Amino acid sequence: MMDASDMTIEDIDLFIAHIDRSGGPRSCHVWTGPTFSDGYGFFTKWGPSHRITYELKNGPIPEGVVVRHKCDNPACCNPTHLEIGSHADNRADCVERRRHARGPKHGHSKLTASQVRFIRTHHKGWTHAQIAEKYGVSRSTITKIRNGSTYSGIGKSGSMN
């Protein structure tokens, strides 16, 4: 990818034409051009749209940092919604704002939400080791499910909390 400082006036005009700012200066300015599957905008050879926006407003992005969305909208190109930070900062934002995959949505999860609810409400008289063997997980996983320290976003009623 090329640096935004190398963009011509024509490139910048074309870039800006792909941003919907109709919501006003405080709203998200939504990228309407091509996007990646995760919702982040992409502008031809120049790269991710939020990074280009940041560079056009603030100059080059320092080595080793990322451009973070304060608004949690990956398609947003409002420069007031963007800030730089470390990868650790970005990951902490993700966890704090509960945007990270948890429970059954996590790629390594072995249990479905209905299985977790069943484990919590049934199997009375079974040891945690017996339940673990039935579901192909560790005994400690069953203990954590039962005490609520893992899969905590899954309620007993059938919905994600």
Side-chain angles (χ1 to χ4, degrees), residues 111-150:
L111 300 171
T112 66
S114 61
Q115 288 172 323
V116 170
R117 284 188 294 276
F118 195 82
I119 289 166
R120 287 195 177 130
T121 58
H122 294 77
H123 298 300
K124 304 296 183 211
W126 288 42
T127 67
H128 288 191
Q130 290 170 319
I131 300 168
E133 185 175 338
K134 175 177 172 56
Y135 290 100
V137 297
S138 69
R139 183 195 53 74
S140 65
T141 296
I142 300 301
T143 300
K144 290 174 183 176
I145 289 171
R146 284 277 179 88
N147 72 21
S149 64
T150 193

Side-chain angles (χ1 to χ4, degrees), residues 5-94:
S5 64
D6 295 327
M7 293 175 78
T8 66
I9 296 297
E10 291 80 17
D11 291 330
I12 294 170
D13 287 344
L14 183 58
F15 176 77
I16 291 170
H18 288 295
I19 300 173
D20 177 3
R21 298 186 307 264
S22 62
R26 291 191 176 141
S27 71
C28 287
H29 297 173
V30 180
W31 176 254
T32 62
T35 59
F36 293 109
S37 61
D38 58 5
Y40 286 90
F42 189 80
F43 186 61
T44 62
K45 63 187 175 189
W46 304 104
S49 58
H50 67 292
R51 291 180 61 88
I52 296 168
T53 299
Y54 185 89
E55 286 189 58
L56 290 173
K57 174 77 173 160
N58 302 293
I61 300 167
E63 189 76 27
V65 300
V66 297
V67 177
R68 300 156 49 203
H69 285 93
K70 296 184 231 179
C71 59
D72 290 334
N73 180 354
C76 181
C77 291
N78 185 335
T80 65
H81 292 193
L82 304 173
E83 64 185 353
I84 57 171
S86 68
H87 287 281
D89 294 333
N90 201 35
R91 186 69 189 141
D93 289 345
C94 185

Side-chain angles (χ1 to χ4, degrees), residues 86-108:
S86 68
H87 287 281
D89 294 333
N90 201 35
R91 186 69 189 141
D93 289 345
C94 185
V95 171
E96 179 183 315
R97 297 171 187 167
R98 300 183 62 89
R99 287 184 283 116
H100 64 294
R102 302 177 314 281
K105 293 182 180 179
H106 189 280
H108 296 290

